[in-house]
């Protein structure tokens, strides 16, 4: 009986041990399966190489602005001279002077009075010539409005009216024969300047300097002259206006 019980105990023990071992094996197998089933980590991929930066093209040079061409100076056409002629007493047709300051050149072939007066549209009157007999000379005509001439003559006469020109050399002096007008000039300074004067005629010797700023009589004599006098210049431009019957000179002293 004891043998039987011992055998049974051993059998039960072996059975129990066997179950435990089987369970352990099953458990181990299960663990292995679990381990095997666990996802294997994939090897980390190497980072892809960064592309090299492409060369940025240099900015193209901004073209320099082209220079705007200077406007070409358009030459101002020279006004046509006014030409008149006739015989004896005449009132001319109206005409337009070529410039605000003009030179009027006159001739007369008669033996008696030669008197010329100018009138503008406003009715202003100016004496240009008052001589006897033959005449050749120049006077100044001011104004740019419609004008006409009243001529008292006994012979043939001619009139030419032209714009005044520039003559800077006249700032240092002027010379000629008879009635004559210089070109425009700028005085060397404003104020009194001494000049030397000569005249070899028998009649009036009148020297007038007319400037933008005013007028001055430098000479108002009759007959021959040889001396010096002060000329008072104001703001330029200026011109010499000479009335004479002989040769004359004006020069810096």
């Amino acid at each position: 009986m004891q043998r039987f019980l011992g055998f049974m105990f051993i059998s039960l023990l072996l059975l129990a041990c066997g179950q435990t071992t089987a369970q352990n094996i099953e458990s181990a197998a299960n663990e292995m399966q679990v381990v095997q089933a666990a996802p294997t980590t994939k090897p980390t991929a190497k980072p892809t190489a960064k592309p090299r930066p492409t060369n940025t093209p240099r900015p193209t040079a901004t073209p320099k602005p082209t220079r705007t061409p200077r406007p070409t100076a358009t030459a101002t056409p020279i006004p046509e001279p006014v030409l008149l002629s006739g015989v004896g007493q005449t009132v001319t047709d109206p005409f337009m002077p070529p410039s605000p300051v003009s030179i009027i050149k006159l001739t007369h072939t008669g033996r008696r009075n030669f008197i010329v007066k100018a009138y503008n549209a406003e009715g202003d009157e100016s004496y240009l010539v008052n001589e006897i007999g033959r005449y050749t000379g120049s006077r100044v005509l001011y104004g740019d409005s419609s004008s006409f001439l009243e001529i008292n003559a006994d012979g043939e006469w001619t009139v030419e009216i032209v714009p005044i020109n520039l003559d800077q050399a006249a700032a240092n002096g002027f010379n000629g024969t008879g009635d004559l007008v210089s070109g425009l000039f700028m005085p060397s300074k404003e104020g009194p300047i001494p000049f030397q004067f000569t005249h070899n005629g028998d009649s009036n010797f009148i020297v007038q300097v007319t400037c933008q700023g005013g007028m001055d009589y430098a000479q108002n004599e009759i007959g021959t002259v040889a001396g010096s006098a002060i000329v008072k210049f104001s703001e330029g431009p200026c011109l010499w206006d000479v009335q004479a019957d002989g040769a004359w000179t004006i020069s810096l002293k």
Side-chain angles (χ1 to χ4, degrees), residues 183-211:
L184 295 174
F185 62 89
M186 295 300 294
S188 58
K189 69 174 184 177
E190 295 181 23
I193 300 177
F195 277 82
Q196 191 78 26
F197 298 89
T198 67
H199 176 235
N200 65 6
D202 298 324
S203 188
N204 291 334
F205 178 54
I206 301 172
V207 178
Q208 174 183 329
V209 60
T210 303
C211 300

Side-chain angles (χ1 to χ4, degrees), residues 113-128:
N113 289 338
F114 180 55
I115 301 172
V116 181
K117 292 186 287 186
Y119 296 86
N120 61 20
E122 288 73 32
D124 297 328
E125 174 187 344
S126 58
Y127 266 92
L128 299 177

Side-chain angles (χ1 to χ4, degrees), residues 101-121:
V101 181
S102 302
I103 303 298
I104 179 167
K105 304 176 182 180
L106 307 107
T107 67
H108 178 234
T109 61
R111 297 181 178 180
R112 299 174 61 183
N113 289 338
F114 180 55
I115 301 172
V116 181
K117 292 186 287 186
Y119 296 86
N120 61 20

Side-chain angles (χ1 to χ4, degrees), residues 134-150:
R134 300 178 67 87
Y135 176 86
T136 299
S138 299
R139 300 304 314 281
V140 62
L141 180 66
Y142 297 101
D144 57 358
S145 63
S146 178
S147 304
F148 60 89
L149 301 177
E150 181 185 23

Side-chain angles (χ1 to χ4, degrees), residues 57-228:
R58 294 181 181 178
T60 56
T62 303
K64 294 181 179 179
T66 56
R67 293 183 178 179
T68 304
R70 294 181 180 177
T72 55
T74 304
T76 303
I78 299 175
E80 293 291 330
V82 176
L83 301 176
L84 305 170
S85 62
V87 179
Q89 293 185 357
T90 306
V91 174
T92 67
D93 292 333
F95 60 86
M96 291 297 296
S99 65
V101 181
S102 302
I103 303 298
I104 179 167
K105 304 176 182 180
L106 307 107
T107 67
H108 178 234
T109 61
R111 297 181 178 180
R112 299 174 61 183
N113 289 338
F114 180 55
I115 301 172
V116 181
K117 292 186 287 186
Y119 296 86
N120 61 20
E122 288 73 32
D124 297 328
E125 174 187 344
S126 58
Y127 266 92
L128 299 177
V129 180
N130 188 358
E131 297 292 339
I132 297 175
R134 300 178 67 87
Y135 176 86
T136 299
S138 299
R139 300 304 314 281
V140 62
L141 180 66
Y142 297 101
D144 57 358
S145 63
S146 178
S147 304
F148 60 89
L149 301 177
E150 181 185 23
I151 300 174
N152 186 358
D154 71 328
E156 295 181 352
W157 51 263
T158 64
V159 174
E160 180 182 9
I161 307 171
V162 298
I164 195 168
N165 58 10
L166 300 177
D167 183 11
Q168 187 55 37
N172 297 323
F174 191 42
N175 62 81
T177 301
D179 293 352
L180 200 60
V181 179
S182 75
L184 295 174
F185 62 89
M186 295 300 294
S188 58
K189 69 174 184 177
E190 295 181 23
I193 300 177
F195 277 82
Q196 191 78 26
F197 298 89
T198 67
H199 176 235
N200 65 6
D202 298 324
S203 188
N204 291 334
F205 178 54
I206 301 172
V207 178
Q208 174 183 329
V209 60
T210 303
C211 300
Q212 179 176 314
M215 180 189 69
D216 180 52
Y217 278 98
Q219 292 287 312
N220 189 1
E221 304 292 338
I222 296 176
T224 61
V225 172
S228 58

